[in-house]
Amino acid sequence: MQRVILAGVDPAAGGRAAANWAEDEAILRDLPLRVLRAGPRNPGEAGVTVTGPGLGPEDMTADAETLTRPLILVPDAPARSNHTGGVTLGVDARRPADAAIDFAFESARLRGLRLHAVHAWALPPSAAELLFAVPEEDRATWEDHEVQLLADALRPWRAKYPDVPVLQDVVLFTPSEALLHHCAHAALVVVGHRRGSAWGDTTRSLLRAGTCPVAVVPS
């Protein structure tokens, strides 16, 4: 049986925010809750694993390759605005991570929140060869293409979760900048992780910020 696992957190000695999140997660998903004193290395029975502070971004790297289920990291004191924020999803519209998108939509549905899908993009290499500023028409054309990519990536999930309101956001930032800008007001930030790849600057930056829960979902 799948469970919500609260791992490596002693609710009686701090980490109450992670314990509260795990309890809510279990109720929302109608799953039993189990508390483990060990760290968050993928208990086989876990549907979702929740852990608290104490493992830094570098420490979490050791767990990246063994991650097979969603892992939610909850800071000690999430920002107050997190209680009313939506679910923010970092999505690469060129290589959408289906598991992360599904988890984000489901999390928003269970909590009755809006999903804020953020796709970060960059100007094409050819823009660097221009002697002057990028013409506004060219930038608008490139941005319209990115908007369409994001819409295409989300279309099947919007059909699967028709009751979840969605805000599509295409921003000319790095992924780290884009998500850090929004995490202060998010109830949850969801990012994907592909096996065999590093966690990357984006996830590390979110873990260092520590202002809202972050869900890392393996592909």
Side-chain angles (χ1 to χ4, degrees):
M1 174 185 293
Q2 287 194 352
R3 303 169 185 262
V4 172
I5 302 293
L6 176 63
V9 174
D10 183 354
R16 190 63 235 173
N20 289 340
W21 187 280
E23 291 167 2
D24 290 345
E25 195 80 23
I27 292 171
L28 289 170
R29 297 183 181 275
D30 194 24
L31 293 174
L33 174 65
R34 183 182 179 191
V35 178
L36 297 180
R37 301 305 180 194
R41 288 181 178 271
N42 272 310
E45 65 196 73
V48 178
T49 301
V50 179
T51 190
L55 291 176
E58 285 70 29
D59 297 319
M60 290 307 305
T61 303
D63 289 311
E65 289 310 310
T66 63
L67 195 62
T68 60
R69 302 286 185 178
L71 173 65
I72 303 175
L73 299 105
V74 182
D76 267 336
R80 289 185 178 181
S81 58
N82 296 151
H83 297 294
T84 57
V87 174
T88 295
L89 167 67
V91 53
D92 180 351
R94 286 180 169 77
R95 297 180 65 204
D98 288 348
I101 297 174
D102 193 22
F103 185 85
F105 268 92
E106 178 71 357
S107 295
R109 184 189 69 81
L110 291 172
R111 292 169 174 78
L113 298 175
R114 181 187 70 179
L115 178 69
H116 183 189
V118 179
H119 167 56
W121 70 289
L123 295 173
S126 59
E129 300 173 2
L130 298 175
L131 296 178
F132 304 101
V134 175
E136 191 63 31
E137 290 184 1
D138 289 348
R139 173 171 167 164
T141 298
W142 293 329
E143 187 167 13
D144 287 346
H145 178 63
E146 301 296 327
V147 170
Q148 187 60 55
L149 287 175
L150 179 59
D152 291 343
L154 296 179
R155 185 173 294 111
W157 305 103
R158 298 188 73 159
K160 181 178 179 180
Y161 298 96
D163 296 333
V164 175
V166 179
L167 171 62
Q168 297 182 186
D169 202 356
V170 172
V171 292
L172 189 58
F173 290 120
T174 66
S176 295
E177 292 170 335
L179 291 179
L180 284 173
H181 178 72
H182 294 293
C183 70
H185 303 287
L188 174 69
V189 173
V190 180
V191 293
H193 168 65
R194 298 184 187 279
R195 291 180 66 85
S197 66
W199 275 43
D201 293 339
T202 301
T203 304
R204 292 174 187 273
S205 297
L206 288 169
L207 298 182
R208 288 192 183 98
T211 59
C212 74
V214 176
V216 182
V217 183
S219 297

